């Protein structure tokens, strides 16, 4: 595998992006088109529309699907979406068995193909090459919270899929305790994603403001200079993200790098340079010294899922 033409897909909660990889044009995804879940009743409908648009409706195409959910079994439920993926149904359309992986695992694989310009170091040691021999963890912040790792095994890097975004939220600061109590009183499930996501920014603002609701997470991230509540929310978000990053580095043995991806992390780049992120990341008692040696890196790309899906196809 990895030589002929194949289809790659980034299947999120609200939309899907399709592209092609392989063949004479190389591995980089191309012919990329986006379809909204509101435009098509099913994933298969969007897939058929994409193939028809390229005249490939009768082609036999291997595929790699990066999905916003746990890629287990034939039927994959997408977190927070009315769509679901039937791998046997996809095979019937493409005439070849598809491969599915969690979208954050695809993000992790993408790190192996990106140029140095894609990485922005945060406080701490400089980034190290993402290559066999190292262990890395990827944290994706967007409409949800994704986690995956790249672990060295047998002379190569193996993606480890995870749903660690749904582990329990552990408040440490006064603002975090206020947020946790606010969620408890309103019956919200309280996991890490409840805060570390786009909806989490709005929920945190409501909690710390005493009930004021903002229309979008951008109202929070863009309002820090003039709104003390927005500034407090972003500080809490960034510091808890640092604590979570330290926990994951310990859990996966990711001593060679923590990589932050996703729209929210990119929007909060300047705030991630604050000392609070690194302080909470390293605040793990006897492992403080070891964590101080772990690079923390922001990935400034928004196309990692398709790149990672193409990398998965090329390495199969």
């Amino acid at each position: 595998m990895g030589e002929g033409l194949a289809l790659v897909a980034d299947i999120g909660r609200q939309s899907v992006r399709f592209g092609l990889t392989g063949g004479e044009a190389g591995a980089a995804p191309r012919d990329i088109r986006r379809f909204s879940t509101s435009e098509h009743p099913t994933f298969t409908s969007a897939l058929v529309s994409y193939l028809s648009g390229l005249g490939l409706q009768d082609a036999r195409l291997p595929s790699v699907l990066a999905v916003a959910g746990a890629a287990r079994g034939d039927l994959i439920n997408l977190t927070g979406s009315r769509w679901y993926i039937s791998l046997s149904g996809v095979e019937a359309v493409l005439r070849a068995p598809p491969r599915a992986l969690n979208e954050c695992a695809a993000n992790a694989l993408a790190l192996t193909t990106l140029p140095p310009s894609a990485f922005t170091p945060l406080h701490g040691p400089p980034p190290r090459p993402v290559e066999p021999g190292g262990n890395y963890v990827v944290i994706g912040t967007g409409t949800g919270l994704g986690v995956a790792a790249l672990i060295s095994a047998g002379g190569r890097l193996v993606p480890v899929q995870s749903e660690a975004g749904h582990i329990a939220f552990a408040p440490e600061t006064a603002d975090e305790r206020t947020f946790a109590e606010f969620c408890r009183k309103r019956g919200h499930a309280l996991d890490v994603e409840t805060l570390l996501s786009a909806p989490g920014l709005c929920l945190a603002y409501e909690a710390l403001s005493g009930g004021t609701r903002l229309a979008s997470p951008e109202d929070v991230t863009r309002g820090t200079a003039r709104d003390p509540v927005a500034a407090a929310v972003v500080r809490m978000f960034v510091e808890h993200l640092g604590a979570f990053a330290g926990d994951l580095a310990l859990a996966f043995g990711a001593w060679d790098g923590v990589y932050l991806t996703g729209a929210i992390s990119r929007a909060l780049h300047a705030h991630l340079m604050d000392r609070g992120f690194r302080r909470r990341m390293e605040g793990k008692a006897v492992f403080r010294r070891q964590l101080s040696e772990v690079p923390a890196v922001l990935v400034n790309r928004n196309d990692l899922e398709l790149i990672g899906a193409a990398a998965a196809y090329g390495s199969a």
Side-chain angles (χ1 to χ4, degrees):
M1 290 182 63
E3 296 179 357
L5 189 66
L7 178 136
V8 289
D10 163 25
I11 310 167
R13 302 179 181 200
Q14 299 174 339
S15 65
V16 58
R17 290 184 297 170
F18 294 109
L20 299 177
T21 184
E24 295 181 357
R30 56 193 184 277
D31 294 312
I32 298 169
R33 298 184 187 177
R34 179 183 178 275
F35 298 85
S36 171
T37 56
S38 63
E39 298 172 339
H40 291 272
T42 65
F43 169 75
T44 304
S45 170
L47 174 59
V48 170
S49 180
Y50 174 75
L51 295 171
S52 297
L54 294 179
L56 293 173
Q57 61 271 26
D58 296 322
R60 181 186 185 278
L61 288 175
S63 60
V64 179
L65 315 178
V67 301
R72 300 180 68 244
D74 177 70
L75 197 64
I76 299 173
N77 292 311
L78 301 174
T79 307
S81 173
R82 63 187 179 88
W83 275 5
Y84 65 88
I85 309 297
S86 167
L87 296 184
S88 57
V90 173
E91 181 175 359
V93 173
L94 296 178
R95 299 171 178 83
R99 175 184 175 187
L101 70 164
N102 176 268
E103 63 179 349
C104 205
N107 287 351
L109 279 173
L111 300 184
T112 64
T113 69
L114 295 176
S117 60
F119 303 120
T120 300
L122 303 177
H123 280 302
R128 301 166 190 161
V130 179
E131 59 189 14
N135 290 342
Y136 314 86
V137 69
V138 176
I139 307 170
T141 53
T143 55
L145 177 63
V147 174
L150 277 178
I151 303 298
S152 290
R156 65 191 189 103
L157 287 171
V158 178
V160 177
Q161 305 186 65
S162 163
E163 290 296 334
H166 297 287
I167 66 175
F169 179 82
E172 293 185 25
T173 68
D175 281 346
E176 288 172 1
R177 288 189 287 272
T178 297
F179 175 72
E181 181 64 14
F182 174 87
C183 293
R184 185 191 65 79
K185 288 181 177 179
R186 284 156 180 76
H188 293 293
L190 190 56
D191 54 25
V192 181
E193 184 181 80
T194 307
L195 173 61
L196 299 183
S197 61
L201 282 168
C202 295
L203 188 63
Y205 191 95
E206 187 179 354
L208 297 193
S209 67
T212 301
R213 296 184 179 182
L214 297 184
S216 72
E218 289 79 12
D219 292 333
V220 182
T221 59
R222 296 171 183 170
T224 55
R226 62 183 183 277
D227 182 346
V229 176
V233 167
V234 166
R235 181 170 56 252
M236 176 173 67
F237 186 103
V238 164
E239 290 187 1
H240 201 82
L241 180 58
F244 187 54
D247 289 342
L248 293 174
L250 294 177
F252 287 108
W255 306 115
D256 299 286
V258 170
Y259 287 79
L260 305 181
T261 70
I264 302 300
S265 288
R266 293 195 300 274
L268 296 179
H269 175 195
H271 301 279
L272 289 167
M273 296 300 294
D274 292 344
R275 294 290 181 180
F277 174 86
R278 191 82 209 186
R279 173 177 53 79
R280 290 286 295 274
M281 177 179 161
E282 297 175 6
K284 309 297 177 184
V286 296
F287 282 95
R288 185 182 303 274
R289 179 187 62 79
Q290 291 92 330
L291 287 169
S292 72
E293 299 172 354
V294 176
V297 185
L298 177 66
V299 185
N300 48 41
R301 294 282 291 265
N302 64 0
D303 54 355
L304 299 183
E305 292 83 3
L306 293 179
I307 293 173
Y313 173 69
S315 63

